[in-house]
Amino acid sequence: MINFVDNCFFLEGKDISYVMRIDKAGHLLGCYFGRKIARAAMQEVPDRFYCWMSWGEDGDVLDEKPQEAPTYGHTDLRCPIVSFKDRVCVLKYKTHRIYDGKGEIEGLPSSYDDEGKAQTLEIDLEDAAQGILVTLFYTVFDNRNTVARHIEVVNNSGEDVTVDAFYSMCLDFERSDFAETHFAGRWGMEREKVTSPLRRGSFCVSNARGGSGHFMNPFVMLHDCGANERSGDVYSFMLVYSGNHETRIDVDQRFRTRVLQGVNPFDFEKTLKSGEKLSSPESLLTFSHEGFGGMSRALHEFIRENIVRGYWKKRERPILINNWEATYMNFDEEKVLSIARLAKKLGIELFVLDDGWFGKRNYDDSSLGDWYVNYEKLPSGITGIAERIEEIGLKFGLWFEPEMVSPNSDLYRAHPDWAIHAKKIAPALSRNQLVLDLTKKEVRDFIVDAVVTHLKEAKISYVKWDYNRYITDMPYKGYNFDYTIGLYDIFDRITSAAPEVLFEGCSGGGGRFDVGVLCYMPQIWTSDNTDAIERVYIQYGTSFGYPTSTMGSHVTASPNEYTKRQTPMKTRGDVALSGNFGYELDITKLNDEDLKAIAQQTEQCREVRRLVEFGDFYRLADPFSGNIGAWQVVSGDKKESFVCMTRIMFQSNGYYQFIRLDGLKKGAFYKDTYHEDRIYSADELMYRGVIADFPHGDFVTYTMRLVEV
Ligand code: GLA
C-alpha cells in the first residue's frame, strides 16, 4: 500500500515500511526503510551547518541529508545515483503518480505481480533549467517484504546528454554500525560468504568481466553486526541484471552509510539524444528483522513468486542425467542410448545431451556457432536421438552455447565481424572461443533461428544454455550494457517461442547466477564443482539469496573429477537432493550397489522434491565457520520437513553435537521416516536440538524426513 500525506510517501509491504519526504526546497529525502512502523510524521534531520560544507541558493546542504536520488557536485559531494558528463545537475520534485500493479522495464527483465498485490509509485525529479528528468520507480507488494526499485533518465534538453553513471537505487542510512556480507568466488568455488564490519570509506562488490560473474554475485546484505540466522536487522540488495554490476557501500565522514546498486559505472557511458530515455535494471531491496533466515525466506518467496514465471514456475523439476562428466565430447548414439536405457530403469526422467553434438566438435577448439548435428556421432540426427530417448521413456534435453563462436567454425569463416572485437587489436581467446556481438540485430536473429529451429524440429523438453568465457575487447564504453540488452532480447524471443521447454542457465557452472537470468530460465547450474563436500559450501552460500528451486545439483562420480575426493554415494545423493536433483556420471560403469542406491535416491527425490524445491529454507549450521553444514526445508503447511546435515571431517575423540531445527509447528509431533518412524516433539527438535548421529568417517551426512503425526 502506498500513501502520500503531508509531503511524505509511506510505502508498506507485508512487514516493512519505506518512508520518504519532500523537503521545503523540493528535494526527495529518505526517512526510513525497515520493520513496519506506524504512519506518522517523522522527525526531520535538522538543517545543521557544519564547517566545510557548501550550500545552494535555497540554503540546503544536501551532503547532510539522506537522499533517494543524489547527484554530485553541488551541495552533495558523495557518490551520486546518476551523473552526466560535463554538467552538474540538481534534481527537484516535480510530480508523482501512484497506481495499482507494476509495469515492465523496456528491454530489461523485472519482477512482476500476478496476484493483484502490487502498488507502484513513480516520482518525477527534474532539473528544469537543463531539461533533465529522472523518474524513480518503487513497487511494494502487500504480501512481500521486498521493494522493487529502478530509475529512468529522460533527456529533454534539446541537445545530446551523456550519462556516465547510473545506479538503480540509492539508500542512505543515518548509521554505520553495520556489517556487510557478499558472495565472492571464482570458477568452481562460487558464492563463498564474506563478511566484514563497515568502516569509513567505500567498498564495492562489482564485476567488469562481462556477465554477472563467478567473482562477485550481484547480491549484498547489510546487517546488524550481531545478526544471526534467527534475529537481527538484515537488508539485502539484489540486482535483476546479468551484466557488469556494482553495489557500492560508502560510510562518510559523519558515519552515515550510502548504498548504491546498479550497472557498474566503470566502463559505462551512454549518450541520449534529446527526447531519448534510459532505464536502469531493477534492484530488489528486502528487509527482515528476523536475521539472515528471515531475509532469505522472504527473498526466496519473492524469487519463486515474482521473478520465476511461466510453465515451470510451480512444477516439480525432472530428475535428469547429463552426459558431460560421463563422456565429455566423446560419445556416439549407442553410448547415449545405453546411458538412457539404464537411467530409465533407475527412475531418472530426463536425458540431457551436453556439449559435442554439433559441427566437428570433439574438443573445445572448434564449431561453436555451427549448430547443426554431427551425423558421425549421431546418425539419426537430433530429431532421431530425441525420438529414441522418448521411446525409452525419458524426456530429451540439449546443450547450447549460442552466444559464442569458435574461430574454427563455418560461422566465423562466413562472418568474422560478428565476433566482438575492438579497433586494431585481435580479440583475446578464452577456451578457444570468441563472443558474438549481441548488439547486432542480424547476430541475434541468427541465434534465435538456430536454437528455435531445433526446438521446433525435435522433441526437446529442456535446454541447457551455456556461456563459457568473459567478454573482452568490448569496442566502446557502455558496450556491456548494450550486449546485456541484446542478450535479454534473445532470451525473451527463444523462451516465448518454446514456453513449455525447461531452460537451465549455466556459465562455467554458476558464473551467471542472477535473477536477470531467472526471469527467463527457472533454474541455473550452480557450479561445475560437483564434489559433494565443496557443494555444501557452494549451496549454503547460494542459499542466502536464491531458493533451492533455482539450483541445479547433481550426483557425480567418486573420486570426483575435479577434486579427486572420494565421498560415499549417500553423501553425494543427500547433498544433491537439496536442489534440482540429477546425475552426471557414466552409470553404465557403476557396480550393483551404486545402481541400487541410485534407484533408491530417485524414489526419495520423488517423495521430497516438491517440499525441497518449494518449501521454506532454514540454515542450521554454517560450514564456513564449523565442521558441519546443515539445512532444513519445511513445507508451507509445516506438515513435512527434510533435514540434511553434512559433517566435513571426522575428528578422533570427537563429541556429539546437537543441531537445533527450525520452522516446525510448535507443540506438534513429527515422525522421522528415515529412522524407523521415530517420534519427536517439534519443541524438542527446535529448542533442544537433535543429535546429528553421523556414521563413522569423513564426508558423511545425516538426513531426516519429518512428517507430522
Ligand atoms: C561448461 C558447463 C559444463 C559443461 C561444459 C561443456 O563448463 O558448466 O557443465 O556443459 O561447459 O563444454
Side-chain angles (χ1 to χ4, degrees), residues 521-539:
M521 309 187 174
Q523 58 189 58
I524 302 176
W525 182 224
T526 315
S527 176
D528 275 346
N529 186 343
T530 53
D531 177 297
I533 295 309
E534 300 206 331
R535 270 300 185 112
V536 171
Y537 297 86
I538 295 168
Q539 292 174 203

Side-chain angles (χ1 to χ4, degrees), residues 324 354-355 399 431 464 466 468 506 508-509 525 528 584:
W324 179 243
D354 210 280
D355 194 355
W399 179 95
R431 210 194 186 205
K464 178 170 169 188
D466 218 335
N468 282 322
C506 179
W525 182 224
D528 275 346
E584 202 163 319

Side-chain angles (χ1 to χ4, degrees), residues 71 114 207 280 472 666:
T71 53
D114 58 4
N207 187 55
S280 79
T472 59
K666 185 169 166 32

Side-chain angles (χ1 to χ4, degrees), residues 138-152:
Y138 299 81
T139 302
V140 277
F141 306 75
D142 287 349
N143 54 351
R144 307 273 179 259
N145 291 326
T146 296
V147 181
R149 288 187 59 176
H150 78 281
I151 73 166
E152 201 176 270

Side-chain angles (χ1 to χ4, degrees), residues 22 66 147 179 328 380 432 441 449 476 493 570 609 629 650:
I22 305 165
V147 181
Y328 296 102
S380 30
N432 295 308
K441 168 99 171 44
D449 188 55
Y476 55 86
R493 285 157 68 188
K570 176 166 162 37
R609 80 175 140 189
F650 176 79

Side-chain angles (χ1 to χ4, degrees), residues 321 323 326-327 335-343 351 586-588:
I321 184 155
N323 72 314
T327 66
K335 181 72 200 171
V336 165
L337 293 174
S338 67
I339 295 177
R341 277 187 216 108
L342 183 53
F351 178 89
D586 190 347
I587 49 175
T588 65

